[in-house]
Each structure stands twice: as structure tokens, then as C-alpha cells.
Amino acid sequence: MRNIGRFRSQLKSLGFSYDWDREISTTEPEYYKWTQWIFLQLLKRGLAYQAEVPVNWCPALGTVLANEEVVDGVSERGGHPVIRKPMRQWMLRITEYADRLLEDLEELDWPESLKEMQRNWIGRSEGAEVEFPVLDAHGQERGMEITVYTTRPDTIFGTTYLVLAPEHPLLESLVSMDQATYVEEYIDLASRKSDLERTELQKEKTGVFTGCFAKNPANGAPIPIWVADYVLGSYGTGAIMAVPAHDTRDYEFASKYDIPIQWVVKSDIEDDSSLGKAYPGDGIVVNSSSSVTGLDINGLSSKDAASKVIRWAVETGNGKKKVNFKLRDWLFARQRYWGEPIPVIFLDDTGETLPLPETELPLTLPELDDFTPTGTGDPPLSKAVSWVQTVDPLSGMPARRETNTMPQWAGSCWYYLRFMDPKNSKELVNKDIERYWSPVDVYVGGAEHAVLHLLYARFWHKVLYDIGVVSTKEPFKCVINQGIILGEVQYTALCDMDGNFVSADTATMLGELHQKQVPEEEVMKSGDFFVLKENPAIRLIARAYKMSKSKGNVINPEDVVAVYGADSLRLYEMFMGPLRDSKPWNTSGIEGVHRFLGRVWRLIVGSPLPDGSFREGTVAVDEEPTVEQLRPLHKCIEKVAEEIEATRFNTGISAMMEFINVAYKWDRHPRSIFEAFVLLLSPYAPHMAEELWFRLGNSNSLAYEPFPKANPAYLKDSKIVLPVQVNGKTRGTIQVEETCSEEEAFKLASTDEKLSKYIDGKMIKKKIFVPGKILNVILVPENVKVGQR
């Protein structure tokens, strides 16, 4: 609560226009009562279930992590090693909604890159499940089959071995006695790797032969069964048919272990086998017929061959057509104290899982003095013995509570709905209120949430839609990914072992170098690069890093506000660049926008008095503005409004700076001009704008004033470019008012530096003037005397 209070005071100090009556905290029982209620609805519909699954166990954190929370084999938070370990876990069946999550992306106004991230994460593919019979030592079928999923059934004749994931359930029963020790050691080694490490394309492939064979159903040939960690138990069936001629990973593996490579798809190249690598593309199928099975797909295109293989597999009982997804069910349990308690109990006698009645919600966390991880996999809540031991509210039978808690994503899956109706104690959200507000018009968030929070929230929202709680299929109509504010640029020089500077552009040619930080005052820009002031031949490395405590580059907003004020901080963050771009912080940059706000203040209030204070009120005059004053104002209004809509706040600020430069040239400043400008400034610098608004004589807050609208009549430039001809030949142009007369146009032409040399001292026969189109000056020929015929 102390932390929340600190955040609140910081947000208020920056002038954010939040409706504080709608403030919520996902940690409060009044809120997580409804998070627990949603879980019960998921459980009711079979979308929440328990399973013994291999999980990402982090011993240092003492908890299980979702696949998305493991990066390069370590925990996303803290960077601790993660291992694979089988544990009983709560899972959410997000895969039931995979098709809808994919299809409904098309309707959303989201960045295409973000939608593509979700498409890839969901990973829909069409193919076939094929059964490979396991053979005994005598080459006879054992009555056991390995099911594989493939997106390339056209390559089935090229299958020269099978690969099982280390966690495949049949593996233990397949391994021969001679290979058992090697397989066990390999399985243990694989358990220490994350899914990402195991499937990384660049890593060297490893595996162990099981000592067992299977039969290729397409041609009856026996093929070896291997175990390798590049196949995951969580994807497809946990087994693959390896076709090394037409899959890069399989090719590398087969080459390493001398497994036969059979080419079955022909590309445009004469001899694919001479490539020295796999050909994963489509083509014409070859070497793919069998008199034993009667299957013949030679000469067909890959697409037609795949269809024929699937039909054959269905007709012969060797397989079926299958749609698969990379998306896995959501691992929903965490072994930590700080999370929503899962509202289920287990009967002592039978172990039966029972949901808590909704009337028992919220189920609150017990007070614990020691909530550190147990280190054994048992959650910290297991220490709260009196809380764990309970009775079934309906039958009175002894039971124990679930000691896992929900992940941090649970509360954030639906908070946007609670903003709509934050005080409702009877239902998650009132239907009429939800219909009024939904869907969220604009959601601003980082791209790092693409396959975590945004995907989870869409899943929960669709479940709530199905049960009639919400009226829209999607929660967020438009998503904008904001960039990151990086730390200030750090300048680094490279030095050799003797301490001599080495230019960064030549560093790759030299031996070992060490780095030295260079203060900004010793740096200057030279073209596109930064160099040492004292020696411009030494190019430096200039880089801005993400703000972090470890880098020591965190900027505390309170410190900036104390020196420059909240409006300067707001204005600078918006002036740094487009909202969607990441950009480096530069403290000297904030001084520029601070000076701009000072110019605005002095223009409207006037120069400071001798004692440094300012007069009451403003220098505004109560008179009608001129057209010359209204034109730049309305151009500014149009530009600022347009840039706000497009979230290009930086160019909106530039437009206001241009207007202020123009306004400083006026002798008198009408009040209506100032008022309109202050309203434009208010979203950017609300505190100064509010003060100026009251100084201009207004008694109500500008927050309730309509935003200015540009008048099209003042957007059209009154000046036009008029071509000037002399004796029918164009000699130049002049800028004139649209209503310019012939006399005014000729006067301007006569004083124009370029045109005057054609007209001065010449006798003019006549002038032809077409308003707004042309001025043609006809001169008397110099060799003709006046009066002569």
C-alpha cells in the first residue's frame, strides 16, 4: 500500500488526467474475488484442469515459470537457471480458443508486427498424424505404434528414422537393454535445458539411438528410433518422422550420426543431393512408390502428393488429417505466496477436487511471517497449516486447500473491465455499463506483452463473451506500442594495452582492447559519428541503454520535476520523438522545452517586473484579431489536432513553437487568440495552461472547454505565386494577395530584384493583367521612335 501511495503521488504530480474514483488494486480482496470467480467459471467449463507436466522449475525463485518467462535458459526476472521437472500443475485450456484467437486478429486495429507475433505464437499448421508400428528384435510388429504429426506428408517415403522427445511417454518401454544407460543420461541432460535452448536452430544437434526400430507404413522399411532434445514433448505428438533430405535440422542430425538420406522431392536443380544441404521447399515428388503398400505418389506436386498420402492413411487406418498448433495450454499455477489463492479444495478421504461455492469468495491469503520458497517445490502456503486444513462448506467433510497461487497475469487479464464498474460488489461488471464502455478504444502498451498479457486477456475475454458477461468478442479495438525511454547516451573510447586511444572504426583490425567511458563535454559530433574533441580522428562508440539500476542510468521523474517542473518533463517526453519509437533521454534536451514554456509565459503575461515577479493578468487586449493573426492560429490548431490523433505529439509541439515565433512579431495580442492557444497547449502542459487560462479572466477550469477547431476559411493561404512576363516571355514570379490589382502587381514586379532589370527605364506600351493568373508587360521596341508609324 505504501508503494501504491508513492506511485499515486508521482502520477498526480505529473498532472495525468486519471479518474481517481476508478482506481483499483488487483491485490485487494474486493478485486481478486472476481478473479477467483472467473477461475471457477473456467473450471466449470472444463477450461481449467490439473495435469502432471514437465515444467520450468527455477530453484532460485522456488517457483514454476511459464515458457514465456524463460529467456535463454534462465528466468526472465533475476536471470536464474531454469530446469525441466514434472509437477502437478493447474492448466488453462487456451488451446480450445486457438482458432478464434487467430481468426479474430484480422478485425483488430493493431500493429501488423504485433499481430504477426501472436500468429506465430499460436502457430496453426495443417498436416497429418501418421502411425508408425514399433518392431521387435525379429522385425515383427509389437502391437505398439508411435504417432507422429507432420506438415509434409508428401515426404513420407524420405523418412529414414524417427525421433522421440526425451519426455515421450513410450520412450521407457522402447529402449533396448544395451542402450538404456545412454538414454537415461541423455534424458537427465535434456531436463536441464529450456524449450528455447532445445529448439534453437543454430545449436549442434544431439541424440541417442534407442536400440529399437519402427516400420515406415508407406513402404514397410524398418527405420531406427532415436531420442533427441530438438523434439519437444509439448508440440504435436512429441515424435517426428525425420526426413533429412528435406528438413534442415534432420539433415544436420543425420549427417552427424551417418543416417541414410533419401531424396523424394525434386527442385529445379538437376541433382539436389549435390547441394550439401536439405531442400525444404515444394517440388515434384520422386522415389515415392511401393508395390508392398500400393502407395504411389511419383510425379505429383508436393501439394497433390500430400493430399493423396492423407487419403491413403485414412483409408488404410495408418493415420488421419490433423490441424495442429504451437500454442500450449497456459500453465496457471505458481509456487509463491504473493498471488490469488486458487478457490478449490481436495477432500481428505478421496482426494476429489471441489470448487469453493461462489458465496465463499473471496478466499483471502493467510497472514504468514515466513513466505519464502520452501525449495522443495511445495508452495509457501503449505506452511500455513491451519489455513490449509479446512472442511468442505457443503458436506462438512475434512479437506485441504490448494497451496499453489495464481500467476501475476491473472489479475491483469480483466482489469480494464473493472475500470468500467469499479465499486460493484454484486457482479464483475454491470451489463449496461459494459455495453456503454466496451470495447477499449485505445490500449497503449509495450510490444513485450504481445504473447503474454495481450494473448491471455483476449482468451479470458472470449470466455466471458461466451458466458454472457461481456458484449464484444475482443477487449481492445486499437493497440499502440509505445517506445522505451532509454538512458542518456554513453560514450565509450577504445584503448590499447598501453592506454592509447584507438578509433572505433579500425578496432576490428587490432588486438585486445579495453573500454573507457568518456564524459559528454569531451565529445563532439562529426557527420554521423561522435569523436573526441581533442582528437577528432578517434571515433567513439555511442550507445543508449535501457534504463536499469545495474547501468546506473535511471532518471527519477521527481528530480526532474523539482528542477524544471512537471510541464517541462511532460513536454520533453513528447518532444523527444514519435510515441512508437524508442529514444534516449538527454537532460540538456529538457532545457530547450523549458525555455519554450518560458517564452509562452512571457508572451502572454509580459516581461518580468524589476523585482523578478510578474504582473497580475496578461498583456492581452480585448479587440478582434486580424486575418493575419487568425491564419497562423488556425493552421496551428489544425496541425496540433491532427498530430494528437496520430500520436505524433512531437510535431504538434513543433507547430506550437512556430506559432509562438510568429506571435512574438505582433504589436498587439487579442485575448481570443491567446485563449485558443492556451487550450491547444493544455494537454501538453496542463499546469501552466490552467494558470494562464485563469489569468486571461476565465473562472472555470479549461478542462471543461471544448478543444479548438480549425476554421477552413483561414487555412487557405491568401498569397499566390503570379508569373510575370515581359513581351510574352516569362522572366520570373512574384508573391501577391489573391485580390491584388494590376497596379499593385506591377509595383511589386518593378521592385523585384530579378524582374526590375527588364522593366526599369523602359517605355511600356501596355500591360496585360489576368487576376490571379498572369501579368504581361509589353515594352515599346527600342529601335522605333515615338510617333513614327
Side-chain angles (χ1 to χ4, degrees), residues 11-12 17 144 207 226 306 396 423 443 729:
L11 292 171
K12 286 187 173 181
S17 302
M144 181 190 302
W226 286 69
K423 304 290 193 295
Y443 176 107
K729 188 172 184 179

Side-chain angles (χ1 to χ4, degrees), residues 314-329:
V314 172
E315 290 166 3
T316 59
N318 285 304
K320 61 182 180 181
K321 188 173 182 179
K322 178 77 172 177
V323 173
N324 208 11
F325 295 91
K326 284 184 184 176
L327 182 68
R328 302 294 89 203
D329 280 343

